[in-house]
Structures are given as structure tokens and as C-alpha cells.
Amino acid sequence: MALSVIHCNVNGVRSSTEEKRALLNKFKIISIQDTRLRQGQNVLETLFNNYYIYETKHDNTVGIALLIHNSVNHTLIEKISRNNHNLITVKIHKSKLCPQDLYISSFHAPPRNSRFGNFPFQIKLLDKSLKYKCAITVGDFNARHSSLGCKGTNKHGRIFYKYLTHKTHIILNDARIPTFHHCAHNFSDTIDFAVSTVKAAKYIESCVIDNDIGSDHLPLAIKLKANSIAPVNATNNNNTYNIEKTNWDSFTDSLEESVINDPDLWPIPAITSPDEIISVTKNIINKIQDAVEISTPKYRTPNSDRPRLPESVLLLIRSRRLLRSQVRINPNNEIRKQINELNKSIKKQIKEVKTKIEEKKQQILRAGPRNSRFWPTVKSIFKPIAENNIAINNQGAKLTTPADKTAAFQEHFKNIFCNSEDVEFNSNFKSQVDSSLPDLTPIFNAATNITEEINNDQLTKPTSVIEITSIINSFQNRKAPGPDKIVYEHLKHAPNKLILILRAIYNAILLSGFIPPQFKSAIITIIPKANKDLTDINSYRPITLAPTLSKIFEKIINNRLLEFVTRNKIIKQHQTAFLPNKDSTENVLHVTQTIINNFNLNKYTLLLSLDIMKAFDKVWHNGVISTLLRHTSRHFCRIVKSFLEDRKIKVKFNNNTASSYFTQTCGLPQGSPLSPLLFNILISTAPYINSSNIKTYNYADDIFYASSASDPKLAWDQLKPNVDFFIQWCKDYRLKIQINKTNITFFTRRRGTPNNQYPIITINNTEIERQKHTKILGVTLDTHMNLNQHISNIDEGSKYIINNIRKIMTINRFIPPYIGVLLYKSLLRSKFTYAAPILMMIKPSTWRPLLSSEHQALRAAYRTGIRTKLASLYEKAKITPLPNHYKDLSKRVLSKLIASKNKRILLTLTITRPLNTRTFTVTPLHIVLNEFNDADKRLIHNQINDII
């Protein structure tokens, strides 16, 4: 038996009393609002004689009541009436009906008008009801906010939404489903809410809109789970922890108790040697793992993507197998009849299983993103091929079993992370760097001069509880754990004593430069690359699952180093990857602006793209250290050196894990917050020539050069020294250019330029063929900048996605249309709008296929035909048509460039348009600028002139 709660504004309890009584008394807890009962009127006692009744009454305004069934063990906590706001709170004691001590509150806030006194929303009263760890508050809030899903926003809603943004409370009901209907004005919206604390939410099974009870409000019905979480199964080794069902109180209490009772951890020990760092780190990881084991249930990880049949069906299959073996020995018609009957029964039951699976899938889709299985279910629909079942070719052998694939991937990535030699590399430079590096071994009991260096270094100063806590809270939940099985949720619910011990460990690392081995072990999981041949072992990329405690420390170092390199301008402007206020579209926009400006100057633009082979995986460790020594202290390099060395890795594929680790000798650690920044610092040392005719663009390991000249051969002659310098730098730092991925394209307005006017381009003694178009950071640019190929590329595959959306919406008519719109916006619209400012220069006839795809997606979501007006569909979906959306996004991009004072991009914008000629081409940013009104345009002109 489960506890049930209902809330409703009854619009006067004395009307249709029997009807309301029949519908409400099915619930154990009843919240009634707008009773309109005066002092001395005891209508509720007559109607609900099996309930304890707690109510507030007013002679001039509404009243509320909270009714608790006689079978529910409870205690009244408080009754408050303030400024026409009412609150009643009771404590439901833990019992068979209720899995946990639970605080239930009925809260009512009147609308702001003259009748009710025009009082402001009493948010402190609401907060008072939710101050308990396990609390649920229901009521008529008279609050609306569009961000919650309501159709509009009012003053109460703004205060309520601001309150929620600073709390972790959960709204249980879907605000998109109206709870109030105003008959006179034909208006409906949600003003009734059920709000829960995080701890109480895990005991709630459902919160739905119930049947109409003759009021202008619809009731909210809440059903709680009857029992607490299932006991932990600790005997199965092939289990993973079900974090969603963790008993967080048990986790926190058991962890705190184990820490306090361990004299090696509490009081916090003084850590003065590498052995002590290792010992304390290992001890605290074991304590967390023990607390997880106690508080978190496990569920078996399936061995394949194929759903397992029920035991009853498997039993029939085994029986059929036995009968078939008997028929082979002794042919008998009676046995054959039994086999036929079993076949019919097995097919019938398998069909029922498939039907249940499909029904469950439809339920998940109806629930939308609120269900944790929504996006995995969508992925299974749009990618029905089981990637784990594809045979992989490895050196002529065909691998089919997960164990063979795991062993092959282990050897494959071992060769990548442990082999950094090539005959083309500059061995003399390596010897010079290796010999010039100072002693960077970890230090303890440092000398006075080294201690002063450490104390004055902002990069290695001691960390604080505030810094650690803020980093822990910044990480997202629901992330896969590393080898330690610890996730961010565990640290967010950990007691303060654990944070103090982590601070001691991190400060010992910062002081000594020694990182313990527990922080340097990782598991690699394998995922396929998009649009690749999955039978090739090179078509898979590694995703590293590193220890959670190490990621927190690495984030501390990363934040400090990022602030340091930004302040000292160590990373070049043309690098836009993994940096604040930078993204990939910045370089794409700069390239486009440059090409169009060269069109207007009647110049050729040569765009060269270079790709470094496995750049992150092949980084030379001493090369990174030598680069850091130019800018940071020796002690900080000591920490980075310890971070890079002796890292242990093993591969996991399809729940099969390699038996042993291998040691990584080159490359930056995958999955580390610090690795991208270290790579940016390393590649910033690459030499380049940046002039008015030569531009450089970097996005991590993607390298692009643009050279402009009145003649194609001159463009290459200008650029060739830059390319030679970079290739030599790659040889020095033990990186290799993939010549087969090198792309060269000449951009010009001229048509029919003879081939003999173009130069023969050779890189590393290999001739590079000139291409008609090139892809730069997701945007395909063609010779004449028509972008036809780009539109064709991003529209490719849209029909498949739209057909799947139509299939999903058609199979089950109960799936709300907003799910179809959400799928379109998530899977297609983001592709259609990438690099929006560049799309502004495309002719409407070119991007019309994208608009057509959008129309088809909206019609599929709302299950309508071509006769339905598109304007009404856009209004229902609450999205802007694609052309207008391009304009809005482009305006936003230009405003962001001005706000961040991005001089590099703004210099490419011609503020005063020259005298127009037939051959003049307007740049994308110039087109965006013309979308503003005259007053805003003048203001933007002045702002840009001030910046440049």
C-alpha cells in the first residue's frame, strides 16, 4: 500500500459537496484550497469524518485545509496565516504507508489584486515549508513563468522562478499541462504546483493531473512509493552501481562515521612524504567505496544489446529442444504435435514480450526528457544497428567475440600511446631538450629558496575548501565513473570532513609536486567514429574514464593555468579551442570575411588545411615541459611532469575489460580537464608569419593558413615559408603531418582561370592536388563561395531523421507534439543553424531545402498535412522560422563580438561601404549589420571604430 496525496483549489467547498467528497476521499492526504468557509462553519467535519482536519478560515478571503486520514501517523507542525498567504505543515511519520519521515505542506498565495490586498508573494513562507530535508509542498501559488513551461509570466512567477534558481527543489507536475481555466476569458494556464526537495523526490512514484471535480482548477494527484530502496546485492561481481537509487543519508552517515573512527584520517594527518600521500589517498578512496557499497544497490549490466527473454519462455525453448532431440531418435507424430504447440506458444509469448518492450519505449517517449531513458531510447531508434555486433578486421583477422575485440583494442592503443618514434623526427633537437631540462623530481622538506619560490607561485598556492567545493558543484551529474567507481554525486553528498581531507591531499601534492598513482590509472572505453567503416579498427576512438578525485585536482590546476595564460597572452589569438569566449565559428567567420574582402580586391585566396596525425595521443612529454618552463615556475613543471608520467591504462569494450594495465609513455591523458590547455600552450610555440596577406587559424590540432595575392603562384610563394616552418616544428616536437588529409583550395571570383596559372604545390616531397572545395571546422567552402556543397552536406540525412520522427509520432498518438519538436531541434535544427552569420550570405534558393525539411519536421510533430498553415505550426512549436532565426543568431554573434572587443574579427568588417560596383560582394558581417535599424547601426559603427 502506498501513500497518496491530492491537492485542489475547489472554488468553494459548499458547492457540489457530494461529488467532491466522492472524488477526494480516495486519498490519504487531501489539500483543499479556496474553501470559503467562515468561522463556525464545519462543513469539512461533516463530509470527511474519517480525517483529521487542519484549516485556516477568513471572513473576507479564501481559506485552506489539510486533511489527514485516521490511518496515517502524523504530527501537526505549524499553521500560519500572513498577508492573506496560508501555510499548513504536518509531519508524516515513517511507517508501512510512508517509506520515510515526510513533511507535507499546503501553501496558498492569493493573486495580486485589490480584492486580496495586493500583497507581494511571501516567498519566505514557502521556503519555511521546504526547509526540511524530505518535504513536499502543494498549493495554488498563483504564479506563472514561461521558463517553467507556463504560457505566460506574472509577478508571483518571477519571484517563484528566482527562488527556484537558487535552490535544488523539484517541480513535480508538468507546467505545460494547465491546472486552471478561466471560463469568462477562455484562458488556461498552470498556477498550481507540487514542489519537492531532492530527497523527497526519490520516494514519489507519480504526479499527475487528476479528474475534474467541478472547479475551475484541476487536482494534482501524487502517489508515493510504498517501500524504500531494495537491499544491496554485493555478491555479483558483474554489477554496476545504480546511482539513482542511492540512499544518500546512509552514504553520508556511513562515510562520516568511518572517517571519524579511523585515526589515520581524523584528525587530519600531516602529510610529509610520498608514501603518506599514497596511503591517505588509498585510504580515503576505500572509505568512499565502502560507503557506496552500503548505500547503493547494483543492477546487472546486460552482456549484449539484445533483450533477455523471460524465464518462462526460455523454459519452453529448452523443452522444445529436448523434444526435437527425441524426434530425431524416435520419430513420433505425438511428439511433433507437442513441438508444434510449443512453437505456437513460444511465438505468442515472444510477441507479447516485444509488445511490452515497445509499450515501455512509448511510455518513455511520452514522458520526454524527464525520463532518464529518453535519449538512449531515441538513440536506439535512430541508430538501430548494434555496433557491438559488427566484426572487426585487424591485420587480416576477423574478430567477432567481445573478448577478442577487447584484446585487439588493448594492443592497438598500446601501440599508439607507447610509440613516439619516426625517422623524420629531429633527434638532435630531442637530445638538446632532454639534456637541458632541470631536475624535476618531487620535493619534501624543501630548501629555503625553493620554499620561497613555491610560496610566491600563484599556480601552486594551497587550495581551499571553497575552491574544491565550487569545482565539485560545477561538474555535471550522471557521468560515468573511473576505476574507483566514484562519481560526482558521491562527492556532492559527502560530509565536510571528506572535503577537509581532500584539501590536505591536494595541498600536499601542490607542495611536493608528487601525484599518487591512484590518480593516474584510467579505463578506455571504445566508441565508433561517425560515418566510418566500423569493420576497421582505426574507425574507433577512445573515451577515457579517469578517477573522479584526480579530475578535481586537475581542474584546480587547469583553472589557475588558464587564468595565467590568458593574463599573459601566451596562447595566440588564432587559437580558438577550449578557451573562454572562443568557439569554432570564430575562425570560420574570419576566413569567410577574408575571402570575401579579397574578392572585392580582385585577389585570389589560398586556403591550406593541415592535419596532425593523432596529435593529442602523440605529444612529446618533455616538449610540453620545456614549453612550460619558458613561462611558469620550475615547481609547477614538477607537478605537470608527475601528471604526465607513469599513467596506467587498460581498455574496456562491451563490458569486457582487459586483464592488465599498460603504461602510457607519450600523449596527453584523454579525458583530463588539463590536457587541452597543455596542448594549446605547446602548439602556441609553432612559428608563423602573420601579415596582411597571410593569416593563421588554429582549432586545437586543426591548422589552417590563408594567403591572398593577385596571382595564385604568388599566394603559394608567400605561404610556403610558413608551411615549411610549421612542418619543421612538428619534426622537432615529434608530431607528424598527415599528407593524405592535407587540402588546398583557391578561392576567386574569376571563372575559367587556366590550370597553368595555378602553382604545383609540394609538401614533404608529395604533390598536393588542388580541390574545388574544402571543409573548415564543419563548414564546406567552395571556390566561388556559393556554399551549395555545404547546404547539401548538412541537409544530407535529414530525410531519414524526419521519417523517424514521423514514425515515432504516428505509432503512438498519445505522444505530445512537443516531443517531435524537441527531436527536430536537437537532431536537425542545430546542424541547420551552425555558423549562422555565414549562412546570411547564401541565396534563399540555396538554403530552401533546409526550410523544406523544417516544414516537414513540424508537420510530422503535429501529425498534420500540407493544408495546415505553417504560421500556426510555428506558433504552436514556439520556434522562429529558419530565415528569421538566422538573422537573430547572427545579430547575437555580432553583439557578442562587440561586447568581447574581438578586434581580430571586427577588423575584417568594412564599416563604410565603398562605392558599389557590379562585382562588389557584401561580407556576412556587413549583411548582419544592415539588419539593425539606423540608430542601432550608428551605435554599432561607433563601438567598432572605438575597438579597432
Side-chain angles (χ1 to χ4, degrees):
M1 184 181 295
L3 195 68
S4 54
V5 183
I6 191 168
H7 154 77
C8 187
N9 184 319
V10 296
N11 198 17
V13 76
R14 288 173 293 177
S15 61
S16 306
T17 53
E18 289 302 322
E19 178 185 0
K20 292 173 181 175
R21 177 179 178 275
L23 293 170
L24 294 177
N25 68 2
K26 296 181 293 185
F27 295 82
K28 296 293 184 182
I29 301 175
I30 307 172
S31 166
I32 300 177
Q33 299 193 350
D34 199 359
T35 58
R36 300 185 186 180
L37 297 176
R38 298 186 179 184
Q39 300 295 337
Q41 294 179 336
N42 299 321
V43 178
L44 292 175
E45 286 82 350
T46 304
L47 293 175
F48 302 95
N49 53 11
N50 292 327
Y51 289 78
Y52 293 95
I53 300 173
Y54 308 100
E55 57 181 325
T56 62
K57 297 178 180 178
H58 302 276
D59 290 336
N60 59 336
T61 58
V62 300
I64 70 171
L66 190 60
L67 285 63
I68 313 296
H69 196 269
N70 294 339
S71 62
V72 179
N73 185 14
H74 71 282
T75 303
L76 176 66
I77 300 300
E78 58 191 0
K79 285 199 306 181
I80 301 175
S81 181
R82 181 188 304 159
N83 294 335
N84 281 344
H85 288 64
N86 299 284
L87 175 68
I88 301 174
T89 303
V90 297
K91 178 182 179 181
I92 310 299
H93 298 284
K94 185 176 180 179
S95 63
K96 291 182 179 180
L97 288 173
C98 186
Q100 186 72 22
D101 287 346
L102 184 65
Y103 292 83
I104 301 287
S105 301
S106 178
F107 171 77
H108 179 264
R112 295 193 66 174
N113 55 39
S114 56
R115 176 190 168 194
F116 295 98
N118 204 19
F119 291 106
F121 191 75
Q122 300 293 312
I123 197 66
K124 291 184 179 179
L125 199 62
L126 175 63
D127 188 48
K128 191 177 182 68
S129 70
L130 294 166
K131 68 181 180 180
Y132 309 99
K133 288 185 178 180
C134 200
I136 300 172
T137 300
V138 295
D140 179 5
F141 290 23
N142 278 296
R144 302 186 298 125
H145 200 285
S146 57
S147 296
L148 301 176
C150 305
K151 295 180 180 179
T153 302
N154 61 9
K155 293 183 179 179
H156 280 11
R158 293 189 188 96
I159 299 172
F160 180 46
Y161 180 73
K162 184 178 179 181
Y163 168 77
L164 291 175
T165 57
H166 292 85
K167 299 288 183 180
T168 57
H169 303 327
I170 299 169
I171 295 180
L172 301 176
N173 57 304
D174 188 350
R176 291 183 293 262
I177 303 176
T179 61
F180 168 74
H181 183 72
H182 197 296
C183 298
H185 297 90
N186 193 24
F187 166 78
S188 61
D189 207 342
T190 300
I191 58 176
D192 300 81
F193 292 95
V195 185
S196 161
T197 59
V198 174
K199 184 177 177 181
K202 65 182 179 181
Y203 300 111
I204 295 170
E205 185 172 315
S206 63
C207 178
V208 297
I209 304 297
D210 207 4
N211 297 323
D212 186 4
I213 60 172
S215 170
D216 54 356
H217 289 251
L218 292 174
L220 287 176
I222 303 172
K223 184 178 179 182
L224 278 75
K225 298 176 182 177
N227 300 313
S228 59
I229 61 175
V232 175
N233 177 12
T235 59
N236 189 354
N237 294 326
N238 190 25
N239 284 343
T240 56
Y241 292 105
N242 191 349
I243 303 300
E244 294 180 357
K245 295 186 178 181
T246 299
N247 187 332
W248 291 115
D249 288 339
S250 173
F251 170 78
T252 305
D253 295 342
S254 61
L255 179 57
E256 185 169 19
E257 183 180 357
S258 63
V259 169
I260 292 175
N261 294 332
D262 191 336
D264 294 333
L265 292 178
W266 197 263
I268 301 173
I271 305 174
T272 57
S273 68
D275 291 338
E276 290 180 358
I277 293 179
I278 295 173
S279 175
V280 175
T281 303
K282 184 178 181 180
N283 198 352
I284 199 63
I285 290 175
N286 291 337
K287 292 287 188 265
I288 298 173
Q289 290 173 341
D290 292 342
V292 173
E293 189 74 25
I294 293 171
S295 61
T296 307
K298 297 178 179 178
Y299 57 86
R300 180 176 291 276
T301 304
N303 291 325
S304 68
D305 295 334
R306 183 178 178 182
R308 182 174 173 82
L309 293 171
E311 287 297 330
S312 59
V313 180
L314 295 175
L315 180 61
L316 292 178
I317 293 173
R318 285 195 292 270
S319 301
R320 183 182 62 181
R321 190 179 298 120
L322 290 173
L323 290 175
R324 283 177 173 172
S325 63
Q326 293 178 20
V327 166
R328 293 190 191 99
I329 300 172
N330 181 24
N332 189 317
N333 290 333
E334 290 299 324
I335 298 178
R336 287 195 176 98
K337 287 180 181 179
Q338 294 180 28
I339 292 174
N340 291 335
E341 290 175 1
L342 282 175
N343 281 334
K344 292 178 182 179
S345 180
I346 291 169
K347 288 180 180 178
K348 182 180 178 181
Q349 293 195 36
I350 290 177
K351 185 177 180 181
E352 290 175 355
V353 170
K354 290 181 178 179
T355 303
K356 288 181 180 179
I357 293 173
E358 192 62 31
E359 288 175 354
K360 186 177 180 180
K361 186 183 294 185
Q362 298 305 320
Q363 290 176 0
I364 293 171
L365 293 174
R366 284 200 299 272
R370 290 176 295 169
N371 191 305
S372 60
R373 294 297 304 167
F374 176 77
W375 289 114
T377 302
V378 170
K379 182 180 178 181
S380 68
I381 293 172
F382 286 87
K383 291 185 178 180
I385 299 175
E387 295 156 350
N388 296 335
N389 295 331
I390 296 175
I392 296 176
N393 295 323
N394 182 35
Q395 298 178 356
K398 183 175 284 189
L399 309 176
T400 57
T401 64
D404 291 342
K405 294 178 183 179
T406 303
F409 280 123
Q410 174 91 346
E411 191 64 27
H412 173 69
F413 287 108
K414 182 178 180 180
N415 292 333
I416 292 175
F417 291 123
C418 301
N419 183 10
S420 60
E421 299 300 325
D422 192 278
V423 293
E424 295 183 359
F425 293 161
N426 189 342
S427 56
N428 292 331
F429 183 80
K430 180 180 184 300
S431 300
Q432 292 174 10
V433 170
D434 291 344
S435 60
S436 64
L437 289 181
D439 180 20
L440 296 176
T441 56
I443 56 169
F444 288 88
N445 301 321
T448 304
N449 57 345
I450 299 179
T451 305
E452 291 177 357
E453 175 194 339
I454 296 172
N455 292 336
N456 294 328
D457 188 3
Q458 292 298 310
L459 293 174
T460 59
K461 66 179 181 181
T463 185
S464 64
V465 171
I466 295 176
E467 185 177 19
I468 295 172
T469 305
S470 63
I471 288 174
I472 291 174
N473 292 332
S474 68
F475 284 115
Q476 295 181 357
N477 293 338
R478 300 174 63 88
K479 296 296 183 181
D484 54 6
K485 302 297 182 184
I486 300 172
V487 295
Y488 299 122
E489 289 93 323
H490 292 140
L491 300 181
K492 291 179 181 180
H493 289 86
N496 292 332
K497 291 180 176 59
L498 176 71
I499 307 300
L500 294 174
I501 295 173
L502 290 180
R503 182 186 64 175
I505 295 172
Y506 295 156
N507 284 339
I509 296 173
L510 290 169
L511 183 64
S512 63
F514 173 79
I515 297 179
Q518 290 88 352
F519 283 10
K520 297 193 289 185
S521 61
I523 295 176
I524 285 179
T525 60
I526 311 300
I527 63 170
K529 297 179 181 179
N531 303 320
K532 296 289 185 179
D533 179 13
L534 298 186
T535 62
D536 185 1
I537 198 170
N538 293 305
S539 298
Y540 295 80
R541 64 163 52 93
I543 297 295
T544 302
L545 304 179
T548 302
L549 299 185
S550 71
K551 285 188 176 181
I552 297 169
F553 177 74
E554 291 158 16
K555 190 70 174 177
I556 293 172
I557 297 296
N558 179 78
N559 291 348
R560 296 178 179 184
L561 184 59
L562 180 60
E563 191 275 333
F564 176 82
V565 299
T566 303
R567 184 177 66 250
N568 294 283
K569 299 180 179 179
I570 294 173
I571 298 177
K572 303 297 188 294
Q573 279 189 335
H574 54 253
Q575 177 62 263
T576 61
F578 313 114
L579 296 171
N581 299 320
K582 297 278 189 179
D583 55 40
S584 59
T585 58
E586 179 179 320
N587 275 339
V588 179
L589 184 57
H590 194 287
V591 168
T592 307
Q593 290 284 115
T594 302
I595 293 172
I596 300 301
N597 285 331
N598 288 336
F599 279 3
N600 294 324
L601 296 173
N602 205 21
K603 289 184 177 181
Y604 289 85
T605 305
L606 166 60
L607 185 63
L608 168 67
S609 66
L610 297 174
D611 185 83
I612 303 176
M613 181 184 297
K614 302 186 184 301
F616 276 78
D617 303 335
K618 293 294 187 181
V619 166
W620 175 34
H621 290 173
N622 282 355
V624 175
I625 300 299
S626 65
T627 302
L628 285 175
L629 279 170
R630 303 175 195 173
H631 308 288
T632 62
S633 67
R634 180 183 300 183
H635 185 64
F636 180 77
C637 294
R638 189 175 283 115
I639 297 174
V640 175
K641 184 174 186 293
S642 180
F643 163 73
L644 294 175
E645 288 183 341
D646 300 324
R647 301 193 71 90
K648 306 294 183 182
I649 298 173
K650 64 179 176 181
V651 171
K652 178 181 179 181
F653 180 76
N654 194 21
N655 297 318
N656 286 270
T657 306
S659 57
S660 61
Y661 286 92
F662 66 85
T663 303
Q664 181 177 358
T665 58
C666 66
L668 296 171
Q670 290 274 349
S672 168
L674 184 57
S675 295
L677 183 56
L678 291 178
F679 185 84
N680 281 348
I681 294 173
L682 174 67
I683 205 168
S684 67
T685 62
Y688 72 99
I689 302 171
N690 209 17
S691 65
S692 58
N693 293 328
I694 300 175
K695 304 295 181 184
T696 305
Y697 307 95
N698 281 21
Y699 188 81
D701 59 334
D702 292 325
I703 317 297
F704 302 91
Y705 293 103
S707 174
S708 57
S710 56
D711 180 77
K713 293 181 179 179
L714 179 59
W716 170 241
D717 291 339
Q718 292 176 161
L719 185 59
K720 191 175 184 304
N722 226 353
V723 176
D724 292 339
F725 289 153
F726 182 76
I727 291 176
Q728 183 57 47
W729 178 88
C730 287
K731 292 178 180 179
D732 290 343
Y733 283 86
R734 317 189 77 70
L735 297 171
K736 191 173 183 179
I737 298 294
Q738 294 193 89
I739 299 298
N740 60 337
K741 290 189 177 182
T742 301
N743 195 304
I744 287 180
T745 306
F746 284 90
F747 296 88
T748 178
R749 180 187 291 138
R750 301 175 184 176
R751 297 182 183 272
T753 304
N755 289 332
N756 57 10
Q757 290 189 13
Y758 290 103
I760 297 175
I761 298 176
T762 303
I763 298 177
N764 272 3
N765 300 321
T766 303
E767 184 177 336
I768 308 299
E769 185 179 353
R770 176 169 48 90
Q771 303 293 329
K772 292 184 178 180
H773 52 77
T774 187
K775 192 170 186 178
I776 171 171
L777 303 175
V779 178
T780 304
L781 305 179
D782 52 87
T783 302
H784 303 297
M785 293 299 290
N786 296 320
L787 299 185
N788 294 335
Q789 186 64 40
H790 175 65
I791 297 299
S792 177
N793 289 344
I794 63 176
D795 188 46
E796 184 180 357
S798 62
K799 298 296 183 290
Y800 171 77
I801 295 176
I802 292 170
N803 287 336
N804 275 287
I805 293 174
R806 186 179 291 111
K807 178 182 176 181
I808 291 171
M809 302 304 294
T810 304
I811 288 176
N812 194 325
R813 307 292 291 185
F814 294 101
I815 296 179
Y818 86 91
I819 296 294
V821 177
L822 176 65
L823 293 176
Y824 162 67
K825 290 168 67 176
S826 303
L827 302 175
L828 279 182
R829 193 171 169 93
S830 56
K831 289 170 55 180
F832 290 174
T833 57
Y834 176 71
I838 295 140
L839 302 180
M840 291 288 290
M841 61 183 288
I842 303 176
K843 297 179 181 178
S845 59
T846 303
W847 51 253
R848 192 164 290 132
L850 305 185
L851 189 60
S852 175
S853 296
E854 180 172 82
H855 296 165
Q856 292 176 32
L858 291 179
R859 289 194 169 102
Y862 285 93
R863 308 180 182 93
T864 61
I866 59 174
R867 295 183 181 275
T868 306
K869 292 184 178 179
L870 291 170
S872 64
L873 293 180
Y874 279 111
E875 185 177 355
K876 290 178 183 178
K878 297 181 180 179
I879 63 175
T880 310
L882 212 53
N884 297 333
H885 192 50
Y886 286 155
K887 295 178 183 178
D888 295 340
L889 289 176
S890 301
K891 287 182 178 180
R892 228 175 291 167
V893 170
L894 181 56
S895 301
K896 181 181 177 181
L897 292 173
I898 295 172
S900 61
K901 297 182 179 180
N902 195 321
K903 184 177 179 181
R904 174 172 173 257
I905 299 292
L906 295 177
L907 279 172
T908 65
L909 177 62
T910 304
I911 303 303
T912 304
R913 182 171 174 172
L915 293 175
N916 194 10
T917 64
R918 289 192 305 171
T919 59
F920 181 78
T921 305
V922 183
T923 65
L925 285 182
H926 203 157
I927 297 173
V928 176
L929 187 61
N930 289 332
E931 293 295 331
F932 290 89
N933 58 43
D934 292 339
D936 290 341
K937 197 184 299 184
R938 286 193 295 271
L939 177 63
I940 292 172
H941 282 177
N942 295 333
Q943 291 175 337
I944 294 175
N945 286 326
D946 291 340
I947 293 171
I948 63 176

